[in-house]
Amino acid sequence: MTTKASTAKKRSKTKVAAKEVVNGKKTLALQIQNLPIGKIKPDPKQPRKTFDEKQLVQLSESIKTYGVLQPITVRQMNGHYVIVMGERRYRSSKLASKKTIPCIVKNFENNDVLEVQIIENLQRKDVEPTEEAEAIAYLSEKYTPTEIAKRLGRTDNFIRQRLKLAGLIDGFKHFVRNGEMTISLGVGVALFEPEEQQMMLETMGEDFNAHQINRAIKDQTYDLEKASFDVTDKKLVPKVGSCVECPFNVANQGNLFGEGKMVCTKAACFETKKSKSFLNLIEKSKKENILLIPDIRQYWADDESNQLIISQLEKNGLKVYLLDDVEIIENPIEPTIKTIQEEYQHYDYSEDELKAELDEAMQNHSEALEEYNSAKENGFVNGILFHPETYRNKEVFIKIVEKSKDESTDYSAPLANRKMADCTPEEQIVKINEREIRKKQIENNKQFEEVVQMIRETKYIDTKKTLSVDEMVAFSISLFENNVDYVGRQKYFSKLLGNTSKMTKVEMVENFKRKFKKEIFHKLIRYMLTKQVHFGESNHVNNLTNISFYNAMQGYYKSQITGIEKEYAEKRSKRETRLKERITVLEMQVQELNE
């Protein structure tokens, strides 16, 4: 028979008085009750959706031994209890086969429950980033980013980044959740409208490709620090105002790319301002009688985009001079020890050697400055040199190169200096073929650079595998080509590459590979490999270091490289088809002239 005393004793075990702490002060005592787990239900609107199963099992083992040390918070509803805070402890208690769980029963308004849950979840350390972003977005309907930051103990920039991440479409959120996509890359994608994000996703295909997404972001965003126009100008395009106040400038969205970094995400607006700035540049040239020179060489003048620039200048009544037609003197930049250190960063120079380089650079600067200051006395006039794609420009001194009478005649001038229309069909064929060779080299340069940039964005440097023979060959040739001087080559490496007089660059690499002795290299070597390659005029078919590196990377990123190669091959194939048709017509003209 149960006595009143024993019943009271049981109740004392079931309910325990507790103080609730609000703003650092203890308030009204709350009762901790051991409630049956069967009467407790998770909240279906709970913002937390993901639970680590391994961690739940670990917590359940602890609960089996020590019990639930911190009660969960619930509210009463329709004859049962709904969890407000503590669903993880609840799930682990069920795994531990517990019949009851300590609870604090509180009354909440419906709207207050979700806010409390969100704030409680956001204060955890293991919160999933996209869930965190969605939760912060919910709070932003009621609070400013600064207020949210104070409530959560976070920085304003962190809150703004998460708010931007909340705008990521579900297809990309999936990649953030499984760890394939970094948060920073997710924020970069979230800069764009959902329709644009969907296009990126569909273009990428089923497998996540960080390099491709980075390229897409780069192609659709614009660094305002490199704009050809004044980003503070409110009158350039009056309807949109200045870039510094524009909502499409990420600096106004919470410094997403770093403190004060200005990046435009509105392509149409940027292009409009860029075009308007070019028209203003033309007007300035006409009004102030300043020569306007596009940064274009004669051999590249027939390119479609360059032809468009040239035609624009001509339509506006300007006489077109290319770089081959003028001499240019720029205002020289004074060297500093910092610029010298950057220039010779790959050389093991002592402080005295760097100082000597700086002294020589200062002497060269002094001579260049003297030439600049006396430019007008030597027949130079004011001019503006501009880039044909970006329209970025700078003021320079210009002198038109005078050509002799003989040089100006149609057939005595060098073939490279004559326009296509002034050439015979045979000469046009020569010029077409020469330009195609040049275009292939430039494409190879760009292709090689793109492959290297793609590899630098992967985790290649952290790869734990032993280096392959190709990687070791690449590093050895890199050291040989970039760090061994003429005396060292003759003294120690005269037979290293064999008789190279009849070898192509690719064959020299293969010959070296056959003679190579395998050794063990480490992470530092892989790091140096990605830094030793050359861009610009060097690429994967005309530079020893680059060829070796390109070959070595095939073993790691063959599919990505194949994708890049395919893009360039398709462009080249289309162009070569057009060229063959053009040459065929010219050959027929040649035949007619010879008959």
Side-chain angles (χ1 to χ4, degrees):
M1 185 173 178
T2 305
T3 63
K4 290 184 179 181
S6 62
T7 301
K9 190 175 182 180
K10 285 183 179 180
R11 286 178 180 172
S12 67
K13 289 182 179 180
T14 303
K15 294 187 178 183
V16 180
K19 296 282 187 180
E20 181 183 22
V21 178
V22 178
N23 295 327
K25 298 179 180 179
K26 290 184 178 179
T27 61
L28 182 65
L30 298 173
Q31 296 294 327
I32 299 176
Q33 305 178 43
N34 282 318
L35 299 177
I37 282 185
K39 286 192 173 184
I40 299 172
K41 294 182 179 181
D43 188 343
K45 296 181 180 179
Q46 157 71 257
R48 183 178 186 180
K49 306 299 180 186
T50 57
F51 295 87
D52 189 305
E53 293 299 327
K54 288 184 179 179
Q55 291 184 1
L56 289 177
V57 171
Q58 290 174 353
L59 181 57
S60 71
E61 294 299 322
S62 173
I63 288 173
K64 287 178 183 178
T65 306
Y66 304 105
V68 177
L69 301 180
Q70 182 180 355
I72 68 173
T73 302
V74 297
R75 60 176 177 146
Q76 200 164 7
M77 180 184 288
N78 300 328
H80 60 270
Y81 297 91
V82 177
I83 300 172
V84 177
M85 291 181 285
E87 186 172 339
R88 184 168 167 268
R89 280 162 278 160
Y90 161 79
R91 287 173 177 248
S92 295
S93 295
K94 290 185 71 176
L95 288 175
S97 300
K98 291 291 184 179
K99 302 299 182 185
T100 61
I101 185 170
C103 303
I104 295 175
V105 182
K106 293 182 67 176
N107 295 321
F108 291 95
E109 294 294 332
N110 286 334
N111 291 338
D112 292 339
V113 171
L114 187 55
E115 186 175 322
V116 168
Q117 290 173 332
I118 286 174
I119 293 175
E120 189 266 342
N121 282 325
L122 291 177
Q123 289 173 338
R124 294 184 292 108
K125 292 182 179 180
D126 62 340
V127 61
E128 197 278 318
T130 60
E131 286 188 10
E132 184 177 45
E134 291 165 0
I136 289 174
Y138 175 84
L139 293 178
S140 69
E141 296 177 5
K142 186 175 180 180
Y143 305 104
T144 66
T146 301
E147 289 171 334
I148 297 172
K150 288 179 179 178
R151 281 173 171 264
L152 301 179
R154 300 282 195 170
T155 64
D156 279 10
N157 191 44
F158 177 89
I159 298 301
R160 293 180 189 277
Q161 282 193 329
R162 286 299 190 268
L163 284 172
K164 182 57 63 176
L165 188 65
L168 204 61
I169 63 174
D170 288 340
F172 279 118
K173 282 181 179 177
H174 163 74
F175 293 117
V176 175
R177 289 184 183 119
N178 66 18
E180 290 184 82
M181 189 178 197
T182 63
I183 294 173
S184 60
L185 185 54
V187 170
V189 172
L191 291 172
F192 301 96
E193 296 298 319
E195 296 79 8
E196 296 173 297
Q197 294 183 42
Q198 188 61 38
M199 286 181 65
M200 287 186 195
L201 188 65
E202 291 173 0
T203 303
M204 183 181 67
E206 294 183 4
D207 296 328
F208 182 72
N209 188 322
H211 173 69
Q212 188 174 343
I213 296 302
N214 270 312
R215 276 184 59 196
I217 294 173
K218 184 178 179 182
D219 290 343
Q220 297 179 61
T221 55
Y222 303 86
D223 187 347
L224 290 172
E225 294 173 9
K226 297 180 180 179
S228 61
F229 49 87
D230 181 2
V231 296
T232 65
D233 189 351
K234 296 181 179 181
K235 298 181 179 179
L236 183 62
V237 181
K239 287 184 179 180
V240 297
S242 76
C243 298
V244 294
E245 299 168 344
C246 178
F248 294 100
N249 178 354
V250 298
N252 297 323
Q253 300 178 30
N255 295 319
L256 301 177
F257 292 146
E259 188 68 33
K261 179 67 175 176
M262 297 195 296
V263 177
C264 173
T265 61
K266 195 70 172 176
C269 181
F270 184 90
E271 292 295 337
T272 299
K273 286 192 172 185
K274 193 176 82 168
S275 298
K276 185 70 182 296
S277 71
F278 181 50
L279 293 176
N280 289 347
L281 196 63
I282 291 175
E283 287 303 312
K284 178 180 179 179
S285 172
K286 292 165 66 176
K287 185 178 180 180
E288 300 179 17
N289 196 26
I290 298 174
L291 287 176
L292 190 57
I293 309 296
D295 191 359
I296 302 172
R297 290 283 177 189
Q298 184 65 50
Y299 63 76
W300 205 239
D302 285 343
D303 181 78
E304 290 181 14
S305 59
N306 289 338
Q307 279 291 308
L308 181 61
I309 294 296
I310 292 170
S311 67
Q312 279 187 278
L313 294 175
E314 290 175 338
K315 286 177 181 178
N316 281 276
L318 297 179
K319 184 169 177 56
V320 179
Y321 294 100
L322 304 183
L323 290 181
D324 309 80
D325 304 320
V326 297
E327 288 182 32
I328 292 177
I329 298 179
E330 298 182 27
N331 189 1
I333 299 174
E334 184 174 352
T336 64
I337 189 63
K338 184 178 179 181
T339 59
I340 294 297
Q341 288 171 338
E342 289 176 355
E343 182 178 354
Y344 296 99
Q345 60 181 310
H346 298 302
Y347 295 78
D348 188 18
Y349 275 9
S350 65
E351 289 187 14
D352 290 339
E353 288 173 317
L354 289 172
K355 178 67 167 53
E357 292 291 349
L358 177 61
D359 291 341
E360 183 178 347
M362 288 296 293
Q363 178 62 34
N364 293 336
H365 172 263
S366 178
E367 294 172 1
L369 188 60
E370 184 178 347
E371 181 185 27
Y372 179 79
N373 290 332
S374 60
K376 286 199 171 183
E377 298 172 13
N378 294 318
F380 284 80
V381 297
N382 291 333
I384 296 175
L385 180 67
F386 73 93
H387 192 280
E389 292 181 8
T390 65
Y391 302 149
R392 293 188 71 187
N393 57 83
K394 54 187 173 185
E395 295 183 354
V396 295
F397 287 119
I398 293 173
K399 180 194 284 187
I400 298 171
V401 178
E402 295 184 5
K403 297 179 180 178
S404 67
K405 206 169 187 181
D406 291 336
E407 287 179 316
S408 63
T409 59
D410 287 344
Y411 295 100
S412 60
L415 183 60
N417 294 341
R418 295 209 305 273
K419 292 183 178 181
M420 189 70 79
D422 297 331
C423 297
T424 66
E426 294 101 321
E427 289 172 332
Q428 289 187 43
I429 292 173
V430 173
K431 287 178 74 70
I432 288 171
N433 287 329
E434 286 179 348
R435 286 175 180 173
E436 178 58 18
I437 290 171
R438 174 62 177 162
K439 287 181 179 180
K440 282 182 179 178
Q441 182 182 4
I442 291 173
E443 281 183 344
N444 282 331
N445 297 344
K446 290 182 178 178
Q447 178 180 328
F448 178 74
E449 183 172 351
E450 188 165 335
V451 168
V452 174
Q453 296 292 8
M454 176 275 293
I455 291 165
R456 285 177 176 173
E457 291 168 6
T458 68
K459 296 182 179 179
Y460 166 71
I461 293 172
D462 294 319
T463 304
K464 295 182 180 179
K465 291 182 181 178
T466 300
L467 285 168
S468 68
V469 173
D470 283 323
E471 285 174 293
M472 291 186 280
V473 166
F475 182 71
S476 299
I477 289 182
S478 173
L479 289 177
F480 173 77
E481 188 173 41
N482 298 298
N483 296 278
V484 183
D485 59 20
Y486 177 79
V487 175
R489 291 184 183 189
Q490 296 303 310
K491 186 174 182 180
Y492 301 108
F493 302 104
S494 59
K495 297 181 180 179
L496 183 65
L497 296 176
N499 183 9
T500 61
S501 60
K502 296 183 180 180
M503 292 184 191
T504 65
K505 299 286 188 179
V506 176
E507 288 170 342
M508 289 169 68
V509 173
E510 290 302 316
N511 181 57
F512 181 81
K513 180 180 175 180
R514 286 193 295 271
K515 297 179 180 180
F516 185 72
K517 294 181 180 179
K518 190 173 182 181
E519 296 180 17
I520 302 298
F521 293 90
H522 299 290
K523 182 177 179 179
L524 177 62
I525 308 299
R526 287 196 170 105
Y527 175 79
M528 291 181 68
L529 273 175
T530 63
K531 298 295 183 182
Q532 289 289 338
V533 296
H534 309 293
F535 297 142
E537 294 300 312
S538 302
N539 56 57
H540 59 298
V541 297
N542 70 355
N543 176 276
L544 290 176
T545 301
N546 293 355
I547 295 166
S548 308
F549 182 86
Y550 200 86
N551 286 346
M553 294 305 101
Q554 297 286 342
Y556 290 87
Y557 309 105
K558 187 170 180 63
S559 61
Q560 292 97 319
I561 293 174
T562 299
I564 295 172
E565 289 175 338
K566 184 178 178 183
E567 289 181 22
Y568 280 88
E570 288 174 352
K571 292 178 184 177
R572 190 178 300 126
S573 177
K574 290 179 181 179
R575 187 181 65 251
E576 289 178 347
T577 299
R578 292 196 302 269
L579 290 177
K580 285 179 182 178
E581 293 173 355
R582 188 175 177 187
I583 289 174
T584 299
V585 173
L586 290 170
E587 286 175 341
M588 291 174 65
Q589 293 178 11
V590 171
Q591 188 175 356
E592 291 174 1
L593 290 172
N594 292 333
E595 289 178 354

